[in-house]
Amino acid sequence: MSEARLSGQVALVTGASSGIGQATAIALAQAGADVALNYFTLPEAAAQTAEQIRAMGRKAILCQVDIADADAVEAMVADIVAQLGRLDIFVSSAVYSDREPFLTANLDGFRRTIDVSMWGAFYGMRSACNQMVRQGNGGNVVIISSPHAHTAFPACMAYNMAKAANDIMARTAAMELVGHKIRVNVVHPGWTDTGGERKFFTDETLQQASKSLPLGRLAQPAEIARAVAFLVDPASGYITGSTISVDGGSQLPWWSKRGTGEF
């Protein structure tokens, strides 16, 4: 994407202090956008990301807000507009996930997973899109969802539920917003090398497990961010209600003998 493609636009990225959200904030700034970085944890990483964006000559503001709080999200969007003048792009990347069998799951963690990963995406999209409608110039939404939306990974019921909701939420929004020229799309990352994965796996486990994937490695956050930058590019203006998988072929029958056709 040309550096100037997003010049004059303002993006809000949630979960921007690490992983895919952080990489996306940087990619959008590289494409010319000013960026509001939402985060709830890792404030030092968020501040370093903001400095990296400012070093590119873009504006960056920090928004430490729990996206599971609807009122706080509304106030955040209003503050972004007050500081940066407008809002053109919303990327939902913030997530929370606990992994336990549902029969014995701690329901506080189960609810928190839903509150952040589903309701947080909804609150952010709703507030951002209301602002875009008020501006009257269209806009872009990208929801970072997951193959968990359609694959019943065990011990991940709350996250699976949230991501399934994200997908149909985005498609419904795409239908409702098409008349406002607001495009809404979804990205399904494959298994990505982020700090969040270390909540569940050691580095050694990740390294060994990644070898069994079709491309033999985990995705890097910047590879997912490129898909987001592509979707919000004005040159992609005929894409809405779509899902792009950036998964290294992980939805292929990777458990078969690679390339032999044998099982």
Side-chain angles (χ1 to χ4, degrees):
M1 183 191 297
S2 164
E3 282 192 8
R5 283 291 178 88
L6 301 181
S7 179
Q9 296 196 38
V10 174
L12 165 60
V13 181
T14 69
S17 60
S18 65
I20 293 169
Q22 183 180 52
T24 296
I26 292 168
L28 296 181
Q30 288 171 335
D34 296 328
V35 185
L37 298 95
N38 162 259
Y39 64 101
F40 192 54
T41 61
L42 305 176
E44 291 182 1
Q48 289 170 1
T49 306
E51 286 305 312
Q52 185 175 346
I53 290 170
R54 291 173 188 140
M56 301 177 199
R58 317 300 181 204
K59 295 177 182 177
I61 63 172
L62 296 168
C63 308
Q64 188 171 21
V65 169
D66 181 359
I67 62 164
D69 183 335
D71 291 340
V73 171
E74 290 277 356
M76 173 178 67
V77 169
D79 186 55
I80 291 166
V81 175
Q83 293 193 57
L84 299 179
R86 57 185 303 107
L87 182 59
D88 307 281
I89 298 166
F90 172 67
V91 181
S92 172
S93 184
V95 294
Y96 179 89
S97 179
D98 281 345
R99 297 185 182 179
E100 298 176 285
F102 82 96
L103 289 174
T104 55
N106 179 303
L107 290 183
D108 289 339
F110 199 97
R111 292 189 185 96
R112 180 64 178 167
T113 298
I114 298 291
D115 286 345
V116 173
S117 302
M118 185 192 80
W119 283 114
F122 171 76
Y123 295 148
M125 182 177 70
R126 186 173 189 268
S127 298
C129 288
N130 269 312
Q131 176 60 32
M132 293 175 199
V133 169
R134 286 191 291 269
Q135 290 169 184
N137 299 310
N140 274 285
V141 173
V142 178
I143 304 296
I144 306 297
S145 184
S146 170
H148 282 252
H150 53 73
T151 302
F153 291 98
C156 299
M157 183 181 284
Y159 193 68
N160 297 346
M161 290 164 59
K163 290 305 180 180
N166 283 177
D167 278 23
I168 196 63
M169 175 190 77
R171 289 176 60 82
T172 305
M175 285 294 298
E176 294 187 11
L177 294 170
V178 68
H180 295 285
K181 295 183 172 54
I182 298 171
R183 298 189 292 113
V184 184
N185 292 291
V186 175
V187 172
H188 278 190
W191 202 357
T192 305
D193 190 1
T194 66
E197 290 299 321
R198 272 72 183 177
K199 179 178 178 180
F200 309 110
F201 306 105
T202 65
D203 284 335
E204 182 180 0
T205 298
L206 288 172
Q207 183 177 12
Q208 288 300 117
S210 68
K211 294 177 182 178
S212 69
L213 296 174
L215 291 184
R217 65 175 179 85
L218 302 181
Q220 293 301 310
E223 294 176 299
I224 313 304
R226 288 190 195 102
V228 179
F230 165 76
L231 286 169
V232 303
D233 189 329
S236 301
Y238 205 61
I239 304 175
T240 193
S242 294
T243 300
I244 293 182
S245 292
V246 188
D247 62 4
S250 63
Q251 295 180 74
L252 297 170
W254 55 270
W255 32 263
S256 68
K257 291 183 179 179
R258 195 178 308 166
T260 67
E262 299 177 7
F263 294 88

